[in-house]
Amino acid sequence: MIEIFANAQELARGAAEYFLARSGEAVAQKGLFTVALSGGSTPKILYELLVGRQVPWSKTHFFWSDERHVPPDHPDSNYRMAYEAMLSRVPVPESNVHRVHGENPDAAEAANEYEQTLLPLDLILLGLGTDGHTASIFPGSDVLHETKRLVAATWVEKLNTYRITMTLPLLNAGASVLFLVSGAEKAQIVKEVLEGPKQYPAQLVQPTHGQLLWMLDEDAAAKLSMVA
Ligand code: 6PG
């Protein structure tokens, strides 16, 4: 399913409504809500918006769909971005915040350790890179073909660094997976991923039983046949 919003602010508002709906459902069903946050720049507005909303903070557990191989106070840290935009400003118990220990010099060890902390995920947030990557599953990456591990460390040659990422078996086990994509620079890759032949990691995110939703702003959706 694809939903298109006028601009980045409206996109964040739509995503906030979806987040709240999923959280309400999960808490009603099982008393807690589990969400994997995406990194990068696109979700920041959403995180800031959620601060003022009726999120069941005490019953919400936060995970990350991927993390950079850096300490939590590093400018590139996905944890830091979410902490500053949202988690430091809301009454979420520290024990509900399950961050990747990106400071661990051994990225594979950090990935294995993280896998032990996981809970079944009600909502997984993902972004899309202009190269078709999602989480930290990049084109040509060794983790593309992972079938057993749920979290893995992967060397990203072009970034000259390791990333720690949820793998496709975990992403496709999500109850609901939401891609958030914004901006004209993403219009070409959005078209290729949603309408083109299978060649990009993001196209391999096909939840087995869960819901898959793409929320785009008009700029990111501009080249889709349904729009163009
Ligand atoms: C990361 C992300 C990554 C991101 C895309 C899009 O750690 O960088 O998880 O997958 O979602 O690169 O990033 P932007 O939102 O900044 O365009």
Side-chain angles (χ1 to χ4, degrees), residues 66 125-129 131-139 165-166 168 171 179 201-203 205:
D66 73 325
L125 300 179
L126 292 174
L128 178 67
D131 61 357
H133 82 262
T134 190
S136 282
I137 305 175
F138 285 80
T165 186
M166 290 184 173
L168 288 164
L171 298 178
F179 278 91
Q203 292 168 305
V205 178

Side-chain angles (χ1 to χ4, degrees), residues 38-43 66 68 78 127-129 133-136 163 186:
S38 56
S41 55
T42 304
D66 73 325
R68 287 78 182 278
N78 286 339
L128 178 67
H133 82 262
T134 190
S136 282
R163 289 278 187 97
K186 300 282 177 73

Side-chain angles (χ1 to χ4, degrees), residues 50-160:
L50 288 170
V51 171
R53 304 300 300 275
Q54 291 298 317
V55 175
W57 300 110
S58 66
K59 295 187 173 72
T60 299
H61 285 257
F62 292 93
F63 297 86
W64 276 260
S65 30
D66 73 325
E67 184 56 283
R68 287 78 182 278
H69 195 207
V70 295
D73 57 357
H74 189 283
D76 293 350
S77 163
N78 286 339
Y79 164 79
R80 177 176 165 176
M81 186 275 272
Y83 180 80
E84 292 176 348
M86 174 174 64
L87 299 172
S88 60
R89 304 164 57 200
V90 296
V92 62
E94 215 175 301
S95 55
N96 286 21
V97 178
H98 311 272
R99 72 175 180 82
V100 177
H101 291 167
E103 67 272 28
N104 184 336
D106 183 336
E109 191 181 275
N112 294 341
E113 183 197 81
Y114 198 58
E115 187 164 323
Q116 312 313 314
T117 71
L118 293 173
L119 296 171
L121 296 166
D122 299 310
L123 176 59
I124 300 174
L125 300 179
L126 292 174
L128 178 67
T130 51
D131 61 357
H133 82 262
T134 190
S136 282
I137 305 175
F138 285 80
S141 148
D142 53 354
V143 288
L144 266 175
H145 310 294
E146 181 60 51
T147 57
K148 292 192 182 54
R149 290 176 297 169
L150 302 180
V151 183
T154 177
W155 177 255
V156 185
E157 192 61 42
K158 66 177 178 183
L159 301 175
N160 195 35

